[in-house]
Amino acid sequence: MLYYVDIYLYLWAIYKPITFQTMKSLKLLTVAIIAIFASLPAVAQDNAHFGVRAAYNMTTSTTVTEVTGWGSGFSVGVVYYAPFGKKTFFQTGLMFYLDNIKLDGTTENKYNPHTFDGRIRNLGIRLPLDFGLRIFKNSVVALNVYTGPHLYFNFASRMICDDIIGGKPVHIDEKFTTSGMEIGWALGVGADFFKRWHIHLEGVYGLSNLGMTDRFEVGKESHLKRAEISLGVGYNF
């Protein structure tokens, strides 16, 4: 497990330099979380398995809220479910996503207001690292809750919108500068039916910057942070 922790921290350091002390603190925190879960009853009731997932995503920004709103997107991919206690589990995977943040509003700059209508589109892969608890199970349904960090690797992002300046529309279609990798914290609930069919509702709150632009305020960079809600379905093998 620590081997994978080193890999994730190394990838994070590539895109956003952090100090050695911070890396050490993150590793110690991870070890503590693993130790807490490992101290729970160690007899697993379920088998480790893979699954496929597809979800409808709604994404917005928790910053620059005067011009950003909820946009639609989707994600598809695979997950790996690994129980390590009587009712506890770890779940990871790789999810391909295409998200849109809606642009619909006017900046607060009263001297040079800009009214936007469009979207910021993000394309990439998400790596969930969830720890969960099975809170109910019978022969038909099993109910889980889970939480943990999710890493987003943004491969391509574009701002596609109309910017109305002084009553005149200006069309924008340009690259949106992202951080390359961002981190969010997820909280979700999932249900498995007859051990095979799966549904889940999940929310992710961004802990780091998704990206930045100077379009919203002339001469001033605006940083966006992700907030996401997903409703998904899947199948377990």
Side-chain angles (χ1 to χ4, degrees):
M1 177 66 72
L2 290 181
Y3 171 76
Y4 293 105
V5 171
D6 285 328
I7 292 177
Y8 301 143
L9 292 179
Y10 173 74
L11 289 173
W12 172 256
I14 291 176
Y15 292 103
K16 187 175 180 65
I18 57 178
T19 65
F20 172 78
Q21 186 62 38
T22 303
M23 291 183 67
K24 184 178 179 181
S25 299
L26 288 172
K27 181 181 287 188
L28 289 175
L29 177 61
T30 304
V31 172
I33 293 173
I34 294 172
I36 291 172
F37 279 94
S39 67
L40 297 173
V43 180
Q45 292 182 334
D46 303 308
N47 295 322
H49 60 264
F50 286 94
V52 292
R53 300 287 186 266
Y56 168 73
N57 302 334
M58 293 184 63
T59 310
T60 189
S61 173
T62 58
T63 59
V64 202
T65 55
E66 65 271 17
V67 296
T68 58
W70 294 95
S72 297
F74 69 91
S75 58
V76 293
V78 296
V79 298
Y80 181 69
Y81 174 94
F84 61 89
K86 188 176 181 180
K87 294 184 177 182
T88 54
F89 63 89
F90 173 72
Q91 184 170 268
T92 186
L94 284 176
M95 305 295 296
F96 167 84
Y97 66 85
L98 177 63
D99 291 336
N100 290 285
I101 294 176
K102 186 178 181 181
L103 298 178
D104 183 14
T106 303
T107 63
E108 295 179 346
N109 189 335
K110 62 181 179 180
Y111 299 107
N112 188 19
H114 293 240
T115 300
F116 292 92
D117 181 15
R119 64 192 183 277
I120 295 175
R121 174 173 292 171
N122 300 298
L123 176 70
I125 290 179
R126 175 162 54 96
L127 174 65
L129 300 168
D130 294 320
F131 290 93
L133 176 68
R134 174 151 293 179
I135 59 176
F136 176 79
K137 180 181 179 181
N138 61 23
S139 59
V140 177
V141 61
L143 186 63
N144 304 321
V145 293
Y146 58 89
T147 187
H150 285 205
L151 304 182
Y152 288 79
F153 298 89
N154 296 308
F155 295 155
S157 296
R158 297 197 69 80
M159 179 184 291
I160 306 169
C161 65
D162 290 324
D163 180 4
I164 300 176
I165 308 174
K168 297 181 179 180
V170 177
H171 185 68
I172 299 171
D173 186 348
E174 64 186 17
K175 180 180 179 181
F176 179 74
T177 303
T178 67
S179 57
M181 189 188 82
E182 58 179 298
I183 185 170
W185 195 270
L187 177 64
V189 57
D192 296 321
F193 297 91
F194 304 105
K195 296 184 179 181
R196 295 297 183 186
W197 302 101
H198 170 88
I199 62 172
H200 70 263
L201 178 64
E202 177 182 280
V204 180
Y205 185 84
L207 301 179
S208 63
N209 290 329
L210 182 155
M212 67 182 71
T213 179
D214 60 2
R215 284 284 186 180
F216 299 140
E217 295 289 347
V218 176
K220 178 182 177 182
E221 290 182 340
S222 298
H223 296 264
L224 273 63
K225 286 190 175 181
R226 180 191 305 268
E228 190 166 271
I229 298 174
S230 297
L231 177 62
V233 297
Y235 182 82
N236 300 320
F237 296 101

